[in-house]
Amino acid sequence: TQLLEQSPQFLSIQEGENLTVYCNSSSVFSSLQWYRQEPGEGPVLLVTVVTGGEVKKLKRLTFQFGDARKDSSLHITAAQPGDTGLYLCAGARSSSNTGKLIFGQGTTLQVKP
Amino acid sequence: NAGVMQNPRHLVRRRGQEARLRCSPVKGHSHVYWYRQLPEEGLKFMVYLQKENIIDESGMPKERFSAEFPKEGPSILRIQQVVRGDSAAYFCASSPVWTVEMNTEAFFGQGTRLTVV
């Protein structure tokens, strides 16, 4: 069973469209992070959210942490081909005191020009 | 991936050989995590180490896999008698001391792609 469910797993859209990626769990997380990974590279941290209901913006990317700290979303406005990549959510569980991360399966995004 | 160095980037081993993966954390970071990623999947936690101590190895197979983070030198993930199913990308992440309150961020290396033939 997957502790963090990401959806959709694959997304192919045209440049200029908006999209939302979801990360859901039945467990509570002390923090949740979003990463972007290029082929052949390691994950690069985009944002960390720690407070229930928190919203963070990074240019055209908007991240939200659910009120109960069990879910999160990533919204991209006016997607560009440069946004293409694998997006991963990862959480540190409240019950853990080690900082190890639980990762979702990832969302592969393709933005066509 | 600010400063975490992993080598080699690519490693090919025949079945039955040993694979040694190295990770040098960001300078000053005393905590190292190893994760494994299969194609088109997210990362799976393997082991968490501090200098000279294994803190959590709950994600590491009990047979053939071992990890260390010595007082001096890089962290090593060792896989003995590799099998085809060990083929994956192995990522190391490092962080300074971690607490729930601090929610310290971890930085990932570029990974080692292990191929077992």
Side-chain angles (χ1 to χ4, degrees):
Chain A
T1 56
Q2 188 74 24
L3 198 60
L4 267 177
E5 294 283 348
Q6 249 184 274
S7 62
Q9 284 191 272
F10 300 97
L11 194 54
S12 181
I13 61 173
Q14 293 294 135
E15 181 176 2
E17 292 184 8
N18 301 332
L19 67 116
T20 302
V21 178
Y22 299 94
C23 185
N24 295 302
S25 177
S26 57
S27 299
V28 177
F29 291 91
S30 60
S31 67
L32 204 139
Q33 302 176 346
W34 284 92
Y35 292 84
R36 183 176 155 196
Q37 185 178 19
E38 302 280 354
E41 300 294 328
V44 176
L45 182 66
L46 296 174
V47 78
T48 299
V49 285
V50 298
T51 306
E54 182 177 4
V55 176
K56 282 192 174 179
K57 289 183 186 261
L58 186 66
K59 297 183 181 178
R60 294 176 293 100
L61 279 61
T62 302
F63 305 86
Q64 186 161 5
F65 202 11
D67 291 341
R69 291 186 289 135
K70 293 182 179 181
D71 53 82
S72 180
S73 64
L74 157 61
H75 182 79
I76 302 179
T77 303
Q80 298 176 2
D83 296 327
T84 293
L86 177 67
Y87 289 83
L88 296 159
C89 66
R93 291 188 68 182
S94 298
S95 57
S96 169
N97 62 353
T98 65
K100 74 181 185 186
L101 296 173
I102 309 295
F103 278 83
Q105 314 98 304
T107 295
T108 300
L109 172 64
Q110 181 187 41
V111 183
K112 299 179 215 175
Chain B
N1 55 3
V4 177
M5 302 299 294
Q6 287 188 250
N7 67 81
R9 291 288 307 275
H10 300 274
L11 182 61
V12 179
R13 284 287 177 266
R14 296 186 184 279
R15 280 179 294 171
Q17 290 184 320
E18 178 180 283
R20 289 169 64 89
L21 288 62
R22 295 175 183 77
C23 169
S24 296
V26 172
K27 189 175 180 181
H29 284 189
S30 57
H31 296 228
V32 164
Y33 305 80
W34 284 93
Y35 292 83
R36 177 164 65 176
Q37 184 178 35
L38 296 173
E40 305 297 332
E41 290 189 12
L43 284 70
K44 303 289 187 193
F45 168 79
M46 297 182 73
V47 62
Y48 164 47
L49 310 103
Q50 295 176 17
K51 285 281 187 181
E52 300 184 278
N53 282 305
I54 296 175
I55 307 301
D56 182 346
E57 55 182 348
S58 58
M60 199 153 70
K62 297 206 178 339
E63 304 289 331
R64 304 187 297 108
F65 284 72
S66 63
E68 62 178 13
F69 189 16
K71 187 177 180 181
E72 301 291 338
S75 175
I76 306 287
L77 178 67
R78 180 186 301 163
I79 311 173
Q80 296 178 300
Q81 299 175 312
V82 296
V83 300
R84 288 235 171 94
D86 297 333
S87 296
Y90 292 83
F91 290 96
C92 167
S94 76
S95 72
V97 61
W98 187 92
T99 65
V100 173
E101 293 76 24
M102 291 171 61
N103 271 301
T104 314
E105 296 167 358
F107 296 90
F108 282 82
Q110 293 179 300
T112 294
R113 271 96 189 143
L114 172 66
T115 302
V116 180
V117 297

